[in-house]
Amino acid sequence: MKHLSRFGILMLCIFAAITCYAMGFSSGIAAFIGLGILFEVLFWGLIIVKNCHSNRRKHT
């Protein structure tokens, strides 16, 4: 269940980033582009944190 929830959050973040980028670039509103950047950073941050935790468990 935890992995399914994490996957759902990741997919929601990347979908929100793509949507915000599309709306921002088509309308020229910088706030949507900034929001897209925020969601993308959150997406990649969640993936990197996941990889760091799994690598620590393998080495200990």
Side-chain angles (χ1 to χ4, degrees):
M1 181 72 174
K2 184 177 180 182
H3 295 290
L4 184 61
S5 175
R6 184 175 186 83
F7 180 76
I9 292 171
L10 285 171
M11 291 300 104
L12 185 65
C13 285
I14 199 66
F15 179 74
I18 291 169
T19 303
C20 287
Y21 281 142
M23 290 173 62
F25 287 131
S26 68
S27 65
I29 299 174
F32 283 121
I33 297 170
L35 207 61
I37 291 170
L38 178 73
F39 280 121
E40 187 175 355
V41 167
L42 181 63
F43 172 80
W44 288 111
L46 288 172
I47 287 180
I48 290 171
V49 167
K50 166 73 172 160
N51 288 338
C52 287
H53 287 299
S54 64
N55 287 340
R56 286 183 185 163
R57 289 184 192 146
K58 290 178 184 176
H59 293 299
T60 57

